[in-house]
Amino acid sequence: MTLDDCRALDAQDPLAALRDQYILPKGVIYLDGNSLGVLPKAAPARIAEVVAKEWGEGLIRSWNSAGWFDLPQRLGDKVGRLIGAAPGEVVCTDSTSINLYKVLFAALSQQAATGRKLVVSERSNFPTDLYIAESMCRERGFTLKLIDASELPAVLTDEVAVLMLTHVNYRTGAMHDMKAITAAAHAAGVLTVWDLAHSAGAVPVALNDSDADYAIGCGYKYLNGGPGAPAFAWVHARHADKFVQPLSGWWGHAAPFEMTPHYRPAAGVSRYLCGTQPIVALAGLECGLDTVLAAEPLGGMAALRKKSLALTDLYIQLVEQRCGGHGLSLVTPRAHAERGSQVCLSRAEGAYAIVQALIARGVIGDYRAGDDQAPDILRFGFTPLYLGFEDVWNSVEHLLQVLETADWKRAEFNAKNAVT
Ligand SMILES: *Cc1c(COP(=O)(O)O)cnc(C)c1O
């Protein structure tokens, strides 16, 4: 595989034109769209319009006249197209952490009468998911049981109420088989809560086809919604009208402007809204969503997935071909069915500093700390919407140079920042 081969792949790439939808800084190869997506070209003007026209001129009238009121549902329908959900099944609102609180509470309420007392999740799940589950279990008399993925499905006994998993692991990029695991969970009487933070816009997701129960996900990663963009929540239609989420604010009321003293939940997933929505942030999210949906005429998530796998395959191949002997190991599974849209490497020494040295060269990935059971990780996300095969070649070239020159040993690359 040569640089010319990579250029040839770019020349044949049917998705190449999608890159033009974004503002990407010159000289940057951005391998961190799994953590914060890039800026859609349409976003600055759209956000300025919302501020100057809809807020500045429309004022409070814009809740009706500019369609602010049903933005969470309208954007939810757009997200639904990416995750195998039907119209009316998703809302965009709040953060991933808060939405997890809501759906996990609903799932536990649903299991309350069964006497099942365990919530099962992976030890390597994203910390906020575990923290939210830990506090909810404490408050509601459940126990959080942390497992390794290899213990599934055997761990799903009649003591388990809810299985809470992140579909694509944030540290390793390993992807679960949602349909098979959900079937095993249901066979054991267990409800499933799926976190799609590293899946929505990254890999095809089929929530209804998988018969999942609850799902949440992030707006600022592969959906390019901007820093802290609203997240989303999905509830299977069989549960959506039945369970009241605990943050029963007026925005999830059946008729908020009747201003009645008692809560009456809205029909369906709209009850998962809580308070007044962040309209400017939702406008930014819509710009991001539209850039992902722009792939629909070109084959949609299936086409994005095909390119994503080609990019991550190429990255793995080039790292092994060109950086062999430098102590890097592959953490992400090689099997396509088990891989999300990122490649994670580990190294006994210098993982943090190598990432910093790469960032100084304009190759932006990130570092995730390990512990006694998991290695430090160099994490590289591949977003087929704006990355090409030549970018992959160049990012490996920089990695090789950082390793060969031992550039990463410089003090400036070894001082830890607050956000890694
Ligand atoms: C990114 C991520 C989150 C982020 O949660 P916030 O509430 O947006 O901070 C949660 N869960 C997973 C699995 C993530 O990858």
mmCIF file of all heavy atoms in Angstrom, residues 61-107:
data_model
loop_
_atom_site.group_PDB
_atom_site.id
_atom_site.type_symbol
_atom_site.label_atom_id
_atom_site.label_comp_id
_atom_site.label_asym_id
_atom_site.label_seq_id
_atom_site.Cartn_x
_atom_site.Cartn_y
_atom_site.Cartn_z
ATOM 1 N N ARG A 61 -42.691 35.067 20.296
ATOM 2 C CA ARG A 61 -43.554 34.531 19.234
ATOM 3 C C ARG A 61 -42.904 33.350 18.531
ATOM 4 O O ARG A 61 -43.573 32.500 17.940
ATOM 5 C CB ARG A 61 -43.845 35.630 18.203
ATOM 6 C CG ARG A 61 -44.659 36.775 18.768
ATOM 7 C CD ARG A 61 -44.692 37.954 17.815
ATOM 8 N NE ARG A 61 -43.401 38.648 17.759
ATOM 9 C CZ ARG A 61 -43.187 39.821 17.175
ATOM 10 N NH1 ARG A 61 -44.180 40.446 16.564
ATOM 11 N NH2 ARG A 61 -41.994 40.377 17.178
ATOM 12 N N SER A 62 -41.541 33.284 18.587
ATOM 13 C CA SER A 62 -40.838 32.233 17.840
ATOM 14 C C SER A 62 -41.115 30.826 18.358
ATOM 15 O O SER A 62 -40.888 29.860 17.640
ATOM 16 C CB SER A 62 -39.332 32.499 17.848
ATOM 17 O OG SER A 62 -39.046 33.609 17.025
ATOM 18 N N TRP A 63 -41.593 30.703 19.603
ATOM 19 C CA TRP A 63 -41.958 29.354 20.061
ATOM 20 C C TRP A 63 -42.978 28.740 19.111
ATOM 21 O O TRP A 63 -42.940 27.544 18.840
ATOM 22 C CB TRP A 63 -42.527 29.369 21.489
ATOM 23 C CG TRP A 63 -41.449 29.547 22.508
ATOM 24 C CD1 TRP A 63 -41.183 30.662 23.237
ATOM 25 C CD2 TRP A 63 -40.456 28.576 22.890
ATOM 26 N NE1 TRP A 63 -40.085 30.451 24.058
ATOM 27 C CE2 TRP A 63 -39.629 29.182 23.873
ATOM 28 C CE3 TRP A 63 -40.186 27.260 22.523
ATOM 29 C CZ2 TRP A 63 -38.552 28.509 24.471
ATOM 30 C CZ3 TRP A 63 -39.129 26.596 23.113
ATOM 31 C CH2 TRP A 63 -38.321 27.218 24.080
ATOM 32 N N ASN A 64 -43.872 29.564 18.596
ATOM 33 C CA ASN A 64 -44.839 29.081 17.605
ATOM 34 C C ASN A 64 -44.362 29.326 16.179
ATOM 35 O O ASN A 64 -44.274 28.404 15.381
ATOM 36 C CB ASN A 64 -46.199 29.754 17.819
ATOM 37 C CG ASN A 64 -46.798 29.386 19.167
ATOM 38 O OD1 ASN A 64 -46.851 28.216 19.525
ATOM 39 N ND2 ASN A 64 -47.235 30.384 19.925
ATOM 40 N N SER A 65 -44.004 30.583 15.878
ATOM 41 C CA SER A 65 -43.804 30.950 14.476
ATOM 42 C C SER A 65 -42.519 30.357 13.894
ATOM 43 O O SER A 65 -42.444 30.103 12.695
ATOM 44 C CB SER A 65 -43.795 32.471 14.328
ATOM 45 O OG SER A 65 -42.713 33.018 15.062
ATOM 46 N N ALA A 66 -41.511 30.130 14.701
ATOM 47 C CA ALA A 66 -40.263 29.567 14.163
ATOM 48 C C ALA A 66 -40.150 28.072 14.439
ATOM 49 O O ALA A 66 -39.108 27.474 14.187
ATOM 50 C CB ALA A 66 -39.062 30.307 14.759
ATOM 51 N N GLY A 67 -41.206 27.480 14.980
ATOM 52 C CA GLY A 67 -41.189 26.033 15.201
ATOM 53 C C GLY A 67 -40.292 25.593 16.345
ATOM 54 O O GLY A 67 -39.842 24.447 16.384
ATOM 55 N N TRP A 68 -40.036 26.494 17.286
ATOM 56 C CA TRP A 68 -39.175 26.106 18.411
ATOM 57 C C TRP A 68 -39.797 24.989 19.247
ATOM 58 O O TRP A 68 -39.107 24.127 19.752
ATOM 59 C CB TRP A 68 -38.926 27.303 19.350
ATOM 60 C CG TRP A 68 -38.017 28.352 18.810
ATOM 61 C CD1 TRP A 68 -37.347 28.353 17.623
ATOM 62 C CD2 TRP A 68 -37.669 29.579 19.482
ATOM 63 N NE1 TRP A 68 -36.602 29.493 17.504
ATOM 64 C CE2 TRP A 68 -36.791 30.269 18.629
ATOM 65 C CE3 TRP A 68 -38.032 30.152 20.703
ATOM 66 C CZ2 TRP A 68 -36.247 31.500 18.971
ATOM 67 C CZ3 TRP A 68 -37.492 31.385 21.042
ATOM 68 C CH2 TRP A 68 -36.613 32.052 20.186
ATOM 69 N N PHE A 69 -41.116 25.055 19.398
ATOM 70 C CA PHE A 69 -41.759 24.186 20.382
ATOM 71 C C PHE A 69 -41.548 22.700 20.099
ATOM 72 O O PHE A 69 -41.303 21.917 21.005
ATOM 73 C CB PHE A 69 -43.266 24.507 20.476
ATOM 74 C CG PHE A 69 -43.941 23.779 21.600
ATOM 75 C CD1 PHE A 69 -43.661 24.096 22.925
ATOM 76 C CD2 PHE A 69 -44.847 22.751 21.340
ATOM 77 C CE1 PHE A 69 -44.264 23.417 23.970
ATOM 78 C CE2 PHE A 69 -45.455 22.072 22.383
ATOM 79 C CZ PHE A 69 -45.161 22.406 23.693
ATOM 80 N N ASP A 70 -41.632 22.319 18.829
ATOM 81 C CA ASP A 70 -41.474 20.877 18.566
ATOM 82 C C ASP A 70 -40.123 20.504 17.968
ATOM 83 O O ASP A 70 -39.968 19.413 17.398
ATOM 84 C CB ASP A 70 -42.640 20.321 17.732
ATOM 85 C CG ASP A 70 -42.938 21.169 16.527
ATOM 86 O OD1 ASP A 70 -42.044 21.946 16.145
ATOM 87 O OD2 ASP A 70 -44.044 21.048 15.967
ATOM 88 N N LEU A 71 -39.122 21.361 18.174
ATOM 89 C CA LEU A 71 -37.770 21.018 17.713
ATOM 90 C C LEU A 71 -37.261 19.678 18.264
ATOM 91 O O LEU A 71 -36.668 18.886 17.522
ATOM 92 C CB LEU A 71 -36.771 22.108 18.108
ATOM 93 C CG LEU A 71 -36.331 23.122 17.051
ATOM 94 C CD1 LEU A 71 -35.238 24.027 17.635
ATOM 95 C CD2 LEU A 71 -35.830 22.448 15.790
ATOM 96 N N PRO A 72 -37.456 19.377 19.558
ATOM 97 C CA PRO A 72 -36.929 18.105 20.067
ATOM 98 C C PRO A 72 -37.485 16.899 19.316
ATOM 99 O O PRO A 72 -36.764 15.937 19.054
ATOM 100 C CB PRO A 72 -37.380 18.089 21.535
ATOM 101 C CG PRO A 72 -37.559 19.526 21.897
ATOM 102 C CD PRO A 72 -38.076 20.184 20.634
ATOM 103 N N GLN A 73 -38.765 16.957 18.948
ATOM 104 C CA GLN A 73 -39.379 15.839 18.220
ATOM 105 C C GLN A 73 -38.946 15.850 16.750
ATOM 106 O O GLN A 73 -38.684 14.792 16.163
ATOM 107 C CB GLN A 73 -40.911 15.916 18.299
ATOM 108 C CG GLN A 73 -41.487 15.643 19.686
ATOM 109 C CD GLN A 73 -41.556 16.882 20.578
ATOM 110 O OE1 GLN A 73 -41.001 17.947 20.263
ATOM 111 N NE2 GLN A 73 -42.236 16.763 21.713
ATOM 112 N N ARG A 74 -38.894 17.059 16.145
ATOM 113 C CA ARG A 74 -38.532 17.128 14.720
ATOM 114 C C ARG A 74 -37.095 16.637 14.520
ATOM 115 O O ARG A 74 -36.823 15.854 13.606
ATOM 116 C CB ARG A 74 -38.684 18.568 14.218
ATOM 117 C CG ARG A 74 -38.788 18.681 12.715
ATOM 118 C CD ARG A 74 -39.351 20.025 12.284
ATOM 119 N NE ARG A 74 -38.571 21.161 12.748
ATOM 120 C CZ ARG A 74 -37.364 21.490 12.271
ATOM 121 N NH1 ARG A 74 -36.802 20.765 11.318
ATOM 122 N NH2 ARG A 74 -36.720 22.533 12.742
ATOM 123 N N LEU A 75 -36.193 17.057 15.385
ATOM 124 C CA LEU A 75 -34.810 16.576 15.269
ATOM 125 C C LEU A 75 -34.727 15.099 15.664
ATOM 126 O O LEU A 75 -33.925 14.348 15.118
ATOM 127 C CB LEU A 75 -33.857 17.397 16.143
ATOM 128 C CG LEU A 75 -33.774 18.893 15.855
ATOM 129 C CD1 LEU A 75 -32.506 19.477 16.468
ATOM 130 C CD2 LEU A 75 -33.801 19.189 14.374
ATOM 131 N N GLY A 76 -35.576 14.702 16.613
ATOM 132 C CA GLY A 76 -35.610 13.287 17.003
ATOM 133 C C GLY A 76 -35.942 12.404 15.811
ATOM 134 O O GLY A 76 -35.358 11.329 15.640
ATOM 135 N N ASP A 77 -36.858 12.863 14.964
ATOM 136 C CA ASP A 77 -37.184 12.078 13.770
ATOM 137 C C ASP A 77 -35.970 11.957 12.844
ATOM 138 O O ASP A 77 -35.764 10.918 12.197
ATOM 139 C CB ASP A 77 -38.359 12.704 13.015
ATOM 140 C CG ASP A 77 -39.692 12.470 13.732
ATOM 141 O OD1 ASP A 77 -39.701 11.701 14.730
ATOM 142 O OD2 ASP A 77 -40.704 13.062 13.314
ATOM 143 N N LYS A 78 -35.176 13.018 12.772
ATOM 144 C CA LYS A 78 -33.961 12.954 11.932
ATOM 145 C C LYS A 78 -32.969 11.948 12.517
ATOM 146 O O LYS A 78 -32.369 11.166 11.779
ATOM 147 C CB LYS A 78 -33.319 14.339 11.806
ATOM 148 C CG LYS A 78 -34.152 15.310 10.978
ATOM 149 C CD LYS A 78 -33.384 16.590 10.628
ATOM 150 C CE LYS A 78 -34.228 17.475 9.708
ATOM 151 N NZ LYS A 78 -33.455 18.596 9.134
ATOM 152 N N VAL A 79 -32.787 11.985 13.833
ATOM 153 C CA VAL A 79 -31.899 10.997 14.466
ATOM 154 C C VAL A 79 -32.438 9.594 14.229
ATOM 155 O O VAL A 79 -31.681 8.657 13.933
ATOM 156 C CB VAL A 79 -31.759 11.267 15.988
ATOM 157 C CG1 VAL A 79 -31.010 10.131 16.669
ATOM 158 C CG2 VAL A 79 -31.061 12.599 16.234
ATOM 159 N N GLY A 80 -33.760 9.460 14.323
ATOM 160 C CA GLY A 80 -34.386 8.144 14.142
ATOM 161 C C GLY A 80 -34.006 7.482 12.833
ATOM 162 O O GLY A 80 -33.817 6.263 12.771
ATOM 163 N N ARG A 81 -33.859 8.299 11.781
ATOM 164 C CA ARG A 81 -33.479 7.740 10.470
ATOM 165 C C ARG A 81 -32.093 7.098 10.509
ATOM 166 O O ARG A 81 -31.770 6.252 9.684
ATOM 167 C CB ARG A 81 -33.499 8.851 9.406
ATOM 168 C CG ARG A 81 -34.918 9.171 8.953
ATOM 169 C CD ARG A 81 -35.115 10.614 8.511
ATOM 170 N NE ARG A 81 -34.341 11.001 7.352
ATOM 171 C CZ ARG A 81 -34.333 12.242 6.845
ATOM 172 N NH1 ARG A 81 -35.068 13.198 7.415
ATOM 173 N NH2 ARG A 81 -33.610 12.529 5.798
ATOM 174 N N LEU A 82 -31.267 7.524 11.452
ATOM 175 C CA LEU A 82 -29.896 7.000 11.533
ATOM 176 C C LEU A 82 -29.770 5.793 12.460
ATOM 177 O O LEU A 82 -28.745 5.114 12.461
ATOM 178 C CB LEU A 82 -28.948 8.104 12.029
ATOM 179 C CG LEU A 82 -28.906 9.372 11.178
ATOM 180 C CD1 LEU A 82 -28.132 10.473 11.890
ATOM 181 C CD2 LEU A 82 -28.277 9.073 9.817
ATOM 182 N N ILE A 83 -30.786 5.546 13.275
ATOM 183 C CA ILE A 83 -30.643 4.503 14.301
ATOM 184 C C ILE A 83 -31.768 3.461 14.234
ATOM 185 O O ILE A 83 -31.967 2.722 15.195
ATOM 186 C CB ILE A 83 -30.559 5.118 15.724
ATOM 187 C CG1 ILE A 83 -31.796 5.963 16.044
ATOM 188 C CG2 ILE A 83 -29.288 5.940 15.878
ATOM 189 C CD1 ILE A 83 -31.843 6.465 17.494
ATOM 190 N N GLY A 84 -32.473 3.438 13.132
ATOM 191 C CA GLY A 84 -33.487 2.396 12.965
ATOM 192 C C GLY A 84 -34.690 2.582 13.864
ATOM 193 O O GLY A 84 -35.270 1.605 14.347
ATOM 194 N N ALA A 85 -35.079 3.838 14.092
ATOM 195 C CA ALA A 85 -36.266 4.140 14.896
ATOM 196 C C ALA A 85 -37.315 4.781 13.997
ATOM 197 O O ALA A 85 -36.983 5.410 12.993
ATOM 198 C CB ALA A 85 -35.904 5.083 16.039
ATOM 199 N N ALA A 86 -38.569 4.623 14.367
ATOM 200 C CA ALA A 86 -39.655 5.179 13.557
ATOM 201 C C ALA A 86 -39.887 6.647 13.939
ATOM 202 O O ALA A 86 -39.503 7.077 15.032
ATOM 203 C CB ALA A 86 -40.927 4.370 13.794
ATOM 204 N N PRO A 87 -40.547 7.411 13.038
ATOM 205 C CA PRO A 87 -40.903 8.789 13.396
ATOM 206 C C PRO A 87 -41.705 8.811 14.696
ATOM 207 O O PRO A 87 -42.527 7.922 14.945
ATOM 208 C CB PRO A 87 -41.757 9.252 12.211
ATOM 209 C CG PRO A 87 -41.321 8.389 11.071
ATOM 210 C CD PRO A 87 -40.955 7.064 11.673
ATOM 211 N N GLY A 88 -41.446 9.798 15.530
ATOM 212 C CA GLY A 88 -42.179 9.928 16.786
ATOM 213 C C GLY A 88 -41.597 9.114 17.930
ATOM 214 O O GLY A 88 -42.145 9.108 19.024
ATOM 215 N N GLU A 89 -40.485 8.427 17.696
ATOM 216 C CA GLU A 89 -39.932 7.568 18.755
ATOM 217 C C GLU A 89 -38.711 8.152 19.459
ATOM 218 O O GLU A 89 -38.228 7.562 20.427
ATOM 219 C CB GLU A 89 -39.539 6.194 18.182
ATOM 220 C CG GLU A 89 -40.734 5.356 17.759
ATOM 221 C CD GLU A 89 -40.361 3.967 17.273
ATOM 222 O OE1 GLU A 89 -39.166 3.689 17.060
ATOM 223 O OE2 GLU A 89 -41.277 3.150 17.090
ATOM 224 N N VAL A 90 -38.179 9.270 18.941
ATOM 225 C CA VAL A 90 -36.942 9.833 19.499
ATOM 226 C C VAL A 90 -37.169 11.307 19.841
ATOM 227 O O VAL A 90 -37.861 12.011 19.108
ATOM 228 C CB VAL A 90 -35.790 9.734 18.464
ATOM 229 C CG1 VAL A 90 -34.484 10.296 19.033
ATOM 230 C CG2 VAL A 90 -35.594 8.303 17.989
ATOM 231 N N VAL A 91 -36.586 11.750 20.940
ATOM 232 C CA VAL A 91 -36.514 13.188 21.205
ATOM 233 C C VAL A 91 -35.056 13.595 21.396
ATOM 234 O O VAL A 91 -34.258 12.832 21.946
ATOM 235 C CB VAL A 91 -37.315 13.641 22.460
ATOM 236 C CG1 VAL A 91 -38.787 13.739 22.145
ATOM 237 C CG2 VAL A 91 -37.044 12.743 23.658
ATOM 238 N N CYS A 92 -34.728 14.809 20.925
ATOM 239 C CA CYS A 92 -33.404 15.387 21.162
ATOM 240 C C CYS A 92 -33.527 16.360 22.321
ATOM 241 O O CYS A 92 -34.281 17.343 22.233
ATOM 242 C CB CYS A 92 -32.901 16.122 19.921
ATOM 243 S SG CYS A 92 -32.487 14.994 18.582
ATOM 244 N N THR A 93 -32.794 16.117 23.380
ATOM 245 C CA THR A 93 -32.945 16.924 24.582
ATOM 246 C C THR A 93 -31.856 16.585 25.594
ATOM 247 O O THR A 93 -31.304 15.476 25.569
ATOM 248 C CB THR A 93 -34.337 16.652 25.232
ATOM 249 O OG1 THR A 93 -34.548 17.558 26.294
ATOM 250 C CG2 THR A 93 -34.452 15.221 25.750
ATOM 251 N N ASP A 94 -31.581 17.506 26.477
ATOM 252 C CA ASP A 94 -30.702 17.261 27.630
ATOM 253 C C ASP A 94 -29.375 16.600 27.222
ATOM 254 O O ASP A 94 -29.018 16.566 26.062
ATOM 255 C CB ASP A 94 -31.442 16.449 28.702
ATOM 256 C CG ASP A 94 -32.623 17.225 29.292
ATOM 257 O OD1 ASP A 94 -32.550 18.457 29.336
ATOM 258 O OD2 ASP A 94 -33.631 16.590 29.671
ATOM 259 N N SER A 95 -28.653 16.107 28.210
ATOM 260 C CA SER A 95 -27.366 15.468 27.910
ATOM 261 C C SER A 95 -27.537 13.946 27.931
ATOM 262 O O SER A 95 -28.548 13.424 28.409
ATOM 263 C CB SER A 95 -26.322 15.880 28.943
ATOM 264 O OG SER A 95 -26.676 15.347 30.206
ATOM 265 N N THR A 96 -26.533 13.262 27.446
ATOM 266 C CA THR A 96 -26.559 11.797 27.480
ATOM 267 C C THR A 96 -26.709 11.303 28.920
ATOM 268 O O THR A 96 -27.505 10.406 29.202
ATOM 269 C CB THR A 96 -25.263 11.233 26.856
ATOM 270 O OG1 THR A 96 -25.091 11.819 25.568
ATOM 271 C CG2 THR A 96 -25.314 9.732 26.709
ATOM 272 N N SER A 97 -25.944 11.917 29.824
ATOM 273 C CA SER A 97 -26.000 11.480 31.228
ATOM 274 C C SER A 97 -27.420 11.615 31.778
ATOM 275 O O SER A 97 -27.930 10.704 32.450
ATOM 276 C CB SER A 97 -25.052 12.325 32.081
ATOM 277 O OG SER A 97 -23.738 12.287 31.586
ATOM 278 N N ILE A 98 -28.058 12.747 31.510
ATOM 279 C CA ILE A 98 -29.403 12.990 32.051
ATOM 280 C C ILE A 98 -30.422 12.058 31.391
ATOM 281 O O ILE A 98 -31.304 11.505 32.059
ATOM 282 C CB ILE A 98 -29.791 14.478 31.876
ATOM 283 C CG1 ILE A 98 -28.901 15.321 32.802
ATOM 284 C CG2 ILE A 98 -31.269 14.714 32.172
ATOM 285 C CD1 ILE A 98 -29.048 16.814 32.604
ATOM 286 N N ASN A 99 -30.273 11.853 30.091
ATOM 287 C CA ASN A 99 -31.209 10.945 29.424
ATOM 288 C C ASN A 99 -31.048 9.515 29.930
ATOM 289 O O ASN A 99 -32.029 8.774 30.054
ATOM 290 C CB ASN A 99 -31.022 11.005 27.901
ATOM 291 C CG ASN A 99 -31.559 12.307 27.331
ATOM 292 O OD1 ASN A 99 -32.456 12.924 27.920
ATOM 293 N ND2 ASN A 99 -31.024 12.743 26.209
ATOM 294 N N LEU A 100 -29.824 9.146 30.258
ATOM 295 C CA LEU A 100 -29.615 7.815 30.828
ATOM 296 C C LEU A 100 -30.343 7.705 32.167
ATOM 297 O O LEU A 100 -30.981 6.683 32.452
ATOM 298 C CB LEU A 100 -28.113 7.538 31.011
ATOM 299 C CG LEU A 100 -27.805 6.196 31.682
ATOM 300 C CD1 LEU A 100 -28.337 5.026 30.850
ATOM 301 C CD2 LEU A 100 -26.306 6.026 31.915
ATOM 302 N N TYR A 101 -30.253 8.739 32.955
ATOM 303 C CA TYR A 101 -30.958 8.739 34.240
ATOM 304 C C TYR A 101 -32.454 8.468 34.018
ATOM 305 O O TYR A 101 -33.067 7.645 34.704
ATOM 306 C CB TYR A 101 -30.749 10.083 34.946
ATOM 307 C CG TYR A 101 -31.363 10.135 36.319
ATOM 308 C CD1 TYR A 101 -30.666 9.677 37.432
ATOM 309 C CD2 TYR A 101 -32.661 10.622 36.511
ATOM 310 C CE1 TYR A 101 -31.232 9.692 38.699
ATOM 311 C CE2 TYR A 101 -33.242 10.642 37.766
ATOM 312 C CZ TYR A 101 -32.530 10.179 38.855
ATOM 313 O OH TYR A 101 -33.097 10.190 40.103
ATOM 314 N N LYS A 102 -33.022 9.148 33.025
ATOM 315 C CA LYS A 102 -34.463 9.015 32.776
ATOM 316 C C LYS A 102 -34.831 7.606 32.316
ATOM 317 O O LYS A 102 -35.769 6.990 32.832
ATOM 318 C CB LYS A 102 -34.902 10.055 31.725
ATOM 319 C CG LYS A 102 -34.803 11.489 32.227
ATOM 320 C CD LYS A 102 -35.323 12.486 31.198
ATOM 321 C CE LYS A 102 -34.277 12.985 30.272
ATOM 322 N NZ LYS A 102 -34.656 14.141 29.458
ATOM 323 N N VAL A 103 -34.102 7.100 31.330
ATOM 324 C CA VAL A 103 -34.525 5.799 30.778
ATOM 325 C C VAL A 103 -34.187 4.655 31.738
ATOM 326 O O VAL A 103 -34.940 3.680 31.819
ATOM 327 C CB VAL A 103 -33.962 5.526 29.358
ATOM 328 C CG1 VAL A 103 -34.381 6.612 28.381
ATOM 329 C CG2 VAL A 103 -32.461 5.345 29.350
ATOM 330 N N LEU A 104 -33.095 4.790 32.462
ATOM 331 C CA LEU A 104 -32.758 3.715 33.401
ATOM 332 C C LEU A 104 -33.793 3.653 34.520
ATOM 333 O O LEU A 104 -34.215 2.572 34.940
ATOM 334 C CB LEU A 104 -31.342 3.935 33.957
ATOM 335 C CG LEU A 104 -30.808 2.840 34.875
ATOM 336 C CD1 LEU A 104 -30.791 1.476 34.173
ATOM 337 C CD2 LEU A 104 -29.383 3.182 35.353
ATOM 338 N N PHE A 105 -34.216 4.814 34.953
ATOM 339 C CA PHE A 105 -35.259 4.875 35.982
ATOM 340 C C PHE A 105 -36.533 4.192 35.474
ATOM 341 O O PHE A 105 -37.154 3.388 36.178
ATOM 342 C CB PHE A 105 -35.540 6.339 36.336
ATOM 343 C CG PHE A 105 -36.462 6.542 37.515
ATOM 344 C CD1 PHE A 105 -35.952 6.947 38.742
ATOM 345 C CD2 PHE A 105 -37.837 6.367 37.400
ATOM 346 C CE1 PHE A 105 -36.784 7.157 39.836
ATOM 347 C CE2 PHE A 105 -38.684 6.565 38.480
ATOM 348 C CZ PHE A 105 -38.160 6.961 39.703
ATOM 349 N N ALA A 106 -36.917 4.520 34.245
ATOM 350 C CA ALA A 106 -38.137 3.919 33.678
ATOM 351 C C ALA A 106 -37.990 2.405 33.580
ATOM 352 O O ALA A 106 -38.908 1.645 33.925
ATOM 353 C CB ALA A 106 -38.430 4.521 32.305
ATOM 354 N N ALA A 107 -36.821 1.942 33.133
ATOM 355 C CA ALA A 107 -36.607 0.498 32.982
ATOM 356 C C ALA A 107 -36.666 -0.195 34.343
ATOM 357 O O ALA A 107 -37.255 -1.279 34.474
ATOM 358 C CB ALA A 107 -35.262 0.242 32.301
#
